[in-house]
Amino acid sequence: MAKLSAKPAKSNAFSENLLKNGEINAKVSEINAEIGEIIAKIREINAQIREINQEVREIPINTHLTNRTSM
């Protein structure tokens, strides 16, 4: 009889662990979604930086020299 009562306890603990794992997985999914949003924002910022860098590259060198000597 003791063995029979031990099995439901193990089964119950297993069910509780499955429930906890499900909750953890849900939280991990939420965090992953937030990370995805952050990565998207970083990509937007990087694109803006690339645009600015391109604009800077297009400034004639003489302008840089003129600005430095006039200071």
Side-chain angles (χ1 to χ4, degrees):
M1 288 291 206
K3 288 183 181 178
L4 290 177
S5 63
K7 284 185 180 180
K10 286 183 183 178
S11 178
N12 191 30
F14 181 73
S15 296
E16 289 175 11
N17 283 340
L18 285 178
L19 183 61
K20 287 178 185 176
N21 285 343
E23 292 171 0
I24 291 168
N25 286 339
K27 288 179 183 178
V28 168
S29 293
E30 288 177 25
I31 292 168
N32 284 340
E34 290 175 12
I35 290 170
E37 291 173 13
I38 292 168
I39 290 171
K41 289 178 183 177
I42 290 170
R43 287 184 175 145
E44 289 175 23
I45 292 168
N46 283 339
Q48 293 171 354
I49 290 170
R50 280 192 293 276
E51 288 176 19
I52 292 168
N53 284 340
Q54 185 59 38
E55 291 173 11
V56 169
R57 282 188 205 105
E58 292 172 1
I59 297 172
I61 294 173
N62 291 340
T63 304
H64 287 296
L65 296 175
T66 305
N67 286 342
R68 286 186 190 158
T69 55
S70 65
M71 289 182 173

